[in-house]
Amino acid sequence: DPESKSAITVAHNGRVARWKGTGFQEMEQLIDIGTNFDAGLTLISADTRLLAAGSRQGRIRVWDVRRRALLRE
């Protein structure tokens, strides 16, 4: 996230987290995209507001990361 000097990660278990602080030691859980969606098929917008995740079955979900809300499926 360019404004807050943080990093967002997507783990293989579907957990999306923001890491910040000295050495990125502070973790904040943001959303859980579930295990049906592949971390390798995930995109985060440049402003970190939106996250899109695809499944191997061809489904796509889009979340508003800041509001922690699913927008579309």
Side-chain angles (χ1 to χ4, degrees), residues 39-72:
L41 301 173
T42 304
L43 297 171
I44 301 172
S45 63
D47 64 0
T48 68
R49 184 173 165 230
L50 300 175
L51 179 140
S55 74
R56 299 211 181 265
Q57 294 77 30
R59 295 174 40 213
I60 297 174
R61 288 184 178 170
V62 178
W63 283 267
D64 181 320
V65 176
R66 293 181 184 159
R67 289 187 7 219
R68 299 177 186 190
L70 179 62
L71 298 177
R72 295 183 194 256

Side-chain angles (χ1 to χ4, degrees), residues 10-30:
V10 181
H12 289 288
N13 64 4
R15 292 186 180 158
V16 179
R18 180 184 318 272
W19 297 85
K20 56 187 176 182
T22 305
F24 298 102
Q25 297 293 320
E26 300 171 38
M27 191 269 292
E28 173 189 10
Q29 178 77 31
L30 297 174

